[in-house]
């Protein structure tokens, strides 16, 4: 099947024309890089993803990971081993990290574009590798010099891999209920004892060592999240030079049999079954949650990218299939002798589905890249300006995670619908992404948790300060669009949606201080979806202000026939035409539905709060 992952031209549009990423190279932090280098990196990433990552998907899905109960080990699909070695040798994992830790120091925005591509190429391989990066980052920030030398450098290089170990059988998302314990030893180490579940890549054979980042409670420390600490727990203990000494008391007792992602093991891990599990305190005792959130924030952005990557590949495959599947007669008035069956891409309902997917993918890409851009800008700014950028990041992270992963389930389902019966069959590249993508709405805090984070911490807890900064960006884009002939109607539509968003948030702030506060728990998830809709409307309007004038440069004064010929023969013109159409479709059609979501969000009807168990079961 054709290798279709991510639209490189649209990636470059967002990076170069929308965000003007070359401007980042003007800051000393990124001064060694250039736009041409960024293009080269992205081109190499496309080449690697298409030639080495994507071909592993079918085999990894069908063969899956294998657990051996006798040795308590997990074997990853053989097809992933060679690409991982290539990935490691190329230094892709640390491309955005400081040269001081072995990285290339590229902007995170570039790394985000590469990550979207690699997730689309092989989620199973890249998803496992990125956990190593998250572990390395938290050690970089909180580790001792010895921990950095032994663990951080090997995680950044990919020589060893890592895992995040939070979830427990009786705790789930309630992190404060964690029961894994850590007993201090005389030599400064800790004896770890407990069980973690749903641990991605907790056991495998891709690397000789796995470094587990384990959240546990030191014996005697207080209950709840405040009593938790973070520990480095290696699969194999090693000396200061990295030479393996012995196996730690860390075992995998089984892997989950899942709906999707068969090539990426999800493990149950037992620590200290023999009372001999050695762990090393990372950072400060009792500060484990704060330290873990260094990993969590990075992972939530990446999980949003995971959802986007599934949507992107599903959309491009749907376009490819619809352009080749001949069925049905065109409903358009025939021209000349052109009669008979046509490709289904000519049918209006198929066009509607494809345009819906295109609008969500391109808007989602802008959302993810803009959020990474805010992180880059925060990293080069100082004082209040840096706080402004960090505030935008805090506000956007739960939306990136929840909105893009929620849309992935919709987009991959729509791609199946475009392919009809064949879309439901495993011989075609549609049903696997739908199975695989669903977990992204559950990873790193379910989307319901993200919506409550947005509602109670990022909006109400912040007293809308960061929200107002975002709205000021809306205003600038709306004003710019209003000044471009032909875009006024779209500027007005986004302005109307913005007002609806502001009114809804204002209502929530009133409820938070009154007797209707409980309503906010029921409204949080639908509201996050509505806020995501409006943010995508703003981003599409932003893209319109860039793409529409460039399209007019090609066809502005041409006849319909001349314009049609230009669009058929000039790929750049056709690209801008497609950008304009998807943005207009989103703002003029999809965004219109959001007013109903606001009406739902501000209603004080209370069925959700009033319903009880017997009401469901009769």
């Amino acid at each position: 099947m054709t290798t279709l992952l991510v639209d490189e031209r649209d990636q470059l549009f967002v990076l170069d024309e929308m965000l003007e990423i070359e401007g980042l190279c003007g800051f000393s932090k990124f001064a060694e890089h250039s736009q041409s280098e960024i293009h080269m990196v992205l081109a190499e990433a496309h080449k690697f993803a298409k030639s080495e990552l994507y071909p592993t998907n079918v085999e990894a899905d069908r063969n899956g990971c294998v657990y051996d109960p006798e040795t308590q080990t997990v074997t990853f699909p053989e097809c992933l081993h060679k690409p991982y070695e290539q990935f490691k040798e190329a230094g892709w994992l640390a491309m955005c990290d400081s040269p001081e830790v072995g990285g290339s120091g590229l902007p995170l925005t570039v790394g985000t574009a590469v990550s979207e591509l690699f997730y689309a190429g092989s989620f199973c391989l890249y998803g496992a590798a990125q956990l190593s990066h998250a572990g390395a980052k938290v050690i970089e920030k909180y580790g001792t010099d010895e921990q950095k030398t032994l663990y951080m450098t090997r995680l950044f290089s990919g020589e060893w891999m890592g895992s995040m170990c939070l979830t427990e059988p009786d705790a789930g998302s309630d992190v404060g209920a964690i029961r894994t314990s850590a007993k201090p030893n005389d030599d400064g180490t800790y004896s770890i004892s407990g069980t973690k579940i749903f641990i991605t890549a907790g056991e495998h054979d891709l690397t000789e060592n796995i470094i587990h980042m384990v959240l546990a409670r030191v014996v005697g420390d207080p209950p709840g999240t405040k009593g938790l600490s973070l520990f480095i727990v290696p699969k194999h203990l090693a000396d200061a030079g990295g030479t393996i000494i012995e196996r730690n008391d860390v075992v995998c007792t089984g892997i989950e049999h899942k709906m999707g992602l068969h090539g990426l093991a999800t493990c149950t891990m037992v620590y200290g079954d023999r009372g001999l599990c050695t762990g090393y305190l990372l950072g400060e005792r009792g500060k484990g949650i704060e330290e873990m959130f260094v990993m969590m924030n990075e992972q939530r952005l990446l999980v949003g990218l995971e959802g986007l990557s599934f949507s992107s590949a599903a959309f491009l495959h749907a376009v490819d299939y619809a352009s080749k599947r001949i069925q049905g007669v065109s409903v358009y008035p025939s021209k000349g002798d052109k009669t008979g069956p046509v490709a289904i891409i000519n049918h209006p309902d198929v066009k509607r589905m494809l345009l819906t997917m295109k609008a969500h993918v391109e808007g989602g890409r802008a959302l993810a890249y803009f959020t990474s851009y805010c992180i880059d800008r925060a990293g080069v700014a100082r004082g209040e300006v840096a706080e402004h950028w960090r505030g935008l990041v805090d506000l956007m992270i739960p939306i990136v995670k929840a909105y893009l992963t929620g849309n992935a389930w919709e987009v991959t389902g729509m791609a199946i619908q475009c392919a009809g019966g064949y879309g439901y069959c495993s011989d075609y590249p549609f049903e696997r992404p739908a199975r695989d993508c669903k977990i992204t709405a559950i990873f790193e805090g379910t989307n319901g948790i993200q919506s409550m984070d947005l509602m109670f911490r990022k909006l109400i807890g912040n007293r809308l300060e960061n929200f107002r900064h975002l709205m000021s960006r809306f205003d600038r884009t709306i004003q710019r669009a209003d000044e471009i002939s032909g875009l006024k109607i779209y500027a007005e539509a986004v302005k109307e949606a913005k007002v609806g968003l502001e009114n809804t948030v204002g209502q929530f702030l009133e409820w938070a201080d009154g007797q209707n506060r409980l309503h906010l728990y029921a409204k949080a998830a639908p509201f996050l979806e509505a806020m995501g809709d409006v943010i995508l409307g703003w981003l599409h309007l932003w893209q319109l202000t860039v793409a529409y004038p460039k399209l007019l440069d090609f066809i502005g004064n041409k006849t319909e026939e001349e314009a049609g010929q230009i669009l058929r023969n000039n790929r750049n013109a056709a690209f801008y035409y497609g950008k304009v159409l998807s943005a207009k479709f989103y703002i003029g059609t999809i965004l219109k539905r959001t007013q109903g979501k606001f009406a739902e969000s501000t209603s004080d009807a209370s069925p959700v709060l009033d319903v009880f168990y017997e009401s469901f079961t009769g």
Side-chain angles (χ1 to χ4, degrees):
M1 195 69 185
T2 305
T3 303
L4 297 165
L5 303 174
V6 177
D7 185 342
E8 185 175 7
R9 179 65 182 87
D10 192 56
Q11 287 186 303
L12 292 174
F13 173 84
V14 177
L15 292 174
D16 294 343
E17 301 174 63
M18 181 182 175
L19 298 176
E20 298 178 334
I21 195 173
E22 188 176 18
L24 287 175
C25 300
F27 294 98
S28 58
K29 182 177 180 179
F30 304 117
E32 294 183 4
H33 305 292
S34 65
Q35 186 179 50
S36 61
E37 181 192 5
I38 290 170
H39 288 192
M40 181 185 69
V41 168
L42 196 58
E44 286 299 312
H46 272 269
K47 181 180 177 181
F48 178 65
K50 291 177 181 178
S51 64
E52 303 299 335
L53 296 182
Y54 183 74
T56 68
N57 280 311
V58 172
E59 181 180 338
D61 181 58
R62 291 178 179 173
N63 295 343
C65 295
V66 178
Y67 175 71
D68 184 342
E70 291 189 8
T71 60
Q72 295 182 308
T73 58
V74 176
T75 302
F76 265 41
E78 182 59 33
C79 61
L80 296 180
H81 285 69
K82 179 184 174 183
Y84 180 73
E85 289 301 314
Q86 294 171 320
F87 172 83
K88 178 179 70 176
E89 291 169 7
W92 284 111
L93 195 61
M95 61 178 291
C96 297
D97 295 290
S98 167
E100 295 177 1
V101 299
S104 301
L106 284 160
L108 180 63
T109 315
V110 180
T112 297
V114 172
S115 289
E116 181 194 0
L117 187 55
F118 285 175
Y119 278 128
S122 174
F123 184 104
C124 293
L125 188 149
Y126 195 61
Q130 274 295 347
L131 290 168
S132 305
H133 185 269
K137 292 299 289 184
V138 75
I139 295 173
E140 180 185 12
K141 184 167 184 177
Y142 296 107
T144 63
D145 290 341
E146 291 79 10
Q147 289 171 341
K148 291 177 183 179
T149 299
L150 179 56
Y151 301 113
M152 180 195 73
T153 56
R154 288 176 172 83
L155 289 172
F156 272 136
S157 71
E159 178 184 348
W160 293 349
M161 291 180 70
S163 74
M164 291 175 59
C165 304
L166 287 79
T167 308
E168 297 185 3
D170 298 322
S173 297
D174 184 7
V175 178
I178 281 176
R179 299 173 65 180
T180 297
S181 66
K183 180 181 178 182
N185 297 321
D186 293 339
D187 62 357
T189 66
Y190 289 77
S191 293
I192 310 297
S193 178
T195 300
K196 300 287 185 178
I197 61 173
F198 300 143
I199 305 305
T200 301
E203 168 62 23
H204 57 76
D205 59 345
L206 288 179
T207 56
E208 69 169 348
N209 207 358
I210 302 170
I211 309 305
H212 303 277
M213 310 300 292
V214 179
L215 208 56
R217 193 182 314 279
V218 176
V219 175
D221 280 0
T225 57
K226 292 182 179 179
L228 295 173
S229 300
L230 189 59
F231 295 88
I232 298 172
V233 183
K235 174 181 175 179
H236 295 287
L237 301 177
D239 63 22
T243 300
I244 299 296
I245 300 174
E246 61 180 328
R247 176 70 185 260
N248 203 1
D249 187 8
V250 177
V251 295
C252 172
T253 59
I255 61 175
E256 300 300 331
H257 302 283
K258 302 172 296 188
M259 171 179 171
L261 294 185
H262 299 148
L264 181 57
T266 305
C267 306
T268 297
M269 303 299 301
V270 175
Y271 301 91
D273 189 47
R274 296 180 287 111
L276 300 171
C277 179
T278 300
Y280 306 92
L281 180 66
L282 179 59
E284 188 177 343
R285 180 169 163 175
K287 300 292 185 180
I289 286 293
E290 295 176 26
E291 296 166 14
M292 185 63 83
F293 265 94
V294 173
M295 301 175 73
M296 291 291 285
N297 279 333
E298 174 181 318
Q299 287 300 307
R300 286 172 176 173
L301 173 60
L302 289 169
V303 171
L305 278 174
E306 292 166 5
L308 174 63
S309 72
F310 285 121
S311 297
S312 173
F315 161 62
L316 292 176
H317 279 296
V319 172
D320 182 62
Y321 179 87
S323 66
K324 296 173 181 175
R325 176 74 163 106
I326 307 299
Q327 181 176 296
V329 178
S330 174
V331 299
Y332 295 99
S334 60
K335 293 183 179 180
D337 298 323
K338 294 180 180 179
T339 59
V342 295
I344 63 172
I345 200 170
N346 291 284
H347 301 322
D349 190 55
V350 175
K351 287 185 176 183
R352 176 192 61 81
M353 289 190 285
L354 293 174
L355 202 50
T356 299
M357 289 187 279
K358 185 177 191 291
H360 276 300
V361 168
E362 293 180 358
R365 181 170 295 126
L367 169 60
Y369 292 17
F370 171 73
T371 303
S372 297
Y373 178 78
C374 290
I375 296 174
D376 282 328
R377 290 301 303 266
V380 298
R382 297 290 182 272
E384 290 186 8
V385 176
E387 286 299 318
H388 168 85
W389 288 108
R390 280 194 288 268
L392 287 176
V393 174
D394 286 344
L395 181 62
M396 302 295 269
I397 285 291
I399 299 170
V400 170
K401 194 281 179 185
Y403 191 76
L404 296 186
T405 59
N407 277 347
W409 184 240
E410 300 297 326
V411 171
T412 55
M414 198 170 287
I416 291 174
Q417 191 72 21
C418 276
Y422 291 119
Y424 199 65
C425 298
S426 59
D427 290 338
Y428 289 79
F430 298 106
E431 57 86 28
R432 179 188 55 77
R435 287 189 286 108
D436 287 352
C437 83
K438 184 55 190 172
I439 188 61
T440 62
I442 301 169
F443 272 160
E444 306 306 335
T446 65
N447 285 357
I449 290 173
Q450 303 304 317
S451 66
M452 287 187 283
D453 178 49
L454 174 67
M455 177 73 75
F456 294 105
R457 292 182 181 176
K458 307 305 172 58
L459 290 173
I460 293 170
N462 183 249
R463 304 307 290 181
L464 307 188
E465 181 179 350
N466 294 330
F467 177 77
R468 293 189 185 97
H469 288 158
L470 180 63
M471 292 302 98
S472 69
R473 290 184 170 274
F474 275 52
D475 290 335
R476 291 197 291 272
T477 303
I478 291 167
Q479 181 179 351
R480 189 160 62 247
D482 194 54
E483 295 169 355
I484 299 174
S485 177
L487 298 186
K488 291 181 181 294
I489 187 174
Y490 300 99
E492 284 299 318
V494 173
K495 183 177 181 180
E496 180 183 0
K498 171 183 175 284
V499 170
L501 176 61
E502 290 174 322
N503 290 341
T504 301
V505 170
Q507 179 72 73
F508 288 165
L509 200 59
E510 291 180 17
W511 283 357
D513 297 328
Q515 61 183 5
N516 282 338
R517 183 179 175 85
L518 276 178
H519 282 291
L520 299 179
Y521 291 92
K523 306 292 187 181
F527 170 73
L528 185 147
E529 180 183 316
M531 185 168 175
D533 289 346
V534 179
I535 289 174
L536 250 65
W538 162 59
L539 292 167
H540 273 296
L541 186 66
W542 183 352
Q543 294 191 68
L544 264 180
T545 63
V546 178
Y548 185 66
K550 293 184 178 182
L551 175 63
L552 293 183
D553 288 342
F554 285 103
I555 64 172
N557 58 353
K558 301 294 190 293
T559 65
E560 182 179 350
E561 184 176 345
E562 290 172 334
Q565 186 173 357
I566 290 171
L567 295 175
R568 284 188 293 271
N569 297 325
N570 188 303
R571 294 182 66 86
N572 249 345
F575 171 78
Y576 289 125
Y577 182 72
K579 289 295 294 183
V580 168
L581 283 184
S582 59
K584 287 183 174 181
F585 175 79
Y586 185 91
I587 296 170
T589 302
I590 298 175
L591 187 59
K592 293 293 186 182
R593 306 167 191 163
T594 306
Q595 294 298 341
K597 297 179 183 179
F598 288 144
E600 172 197 7
S601 295
T602 53
S603 167
D604 60 2
S606 58
V608 173
L609 299 180
D610 295 342
V611 73
F612 51 94
Y613 173 72
E614 288 78 8
S615 305
F616 288 113
T617 63

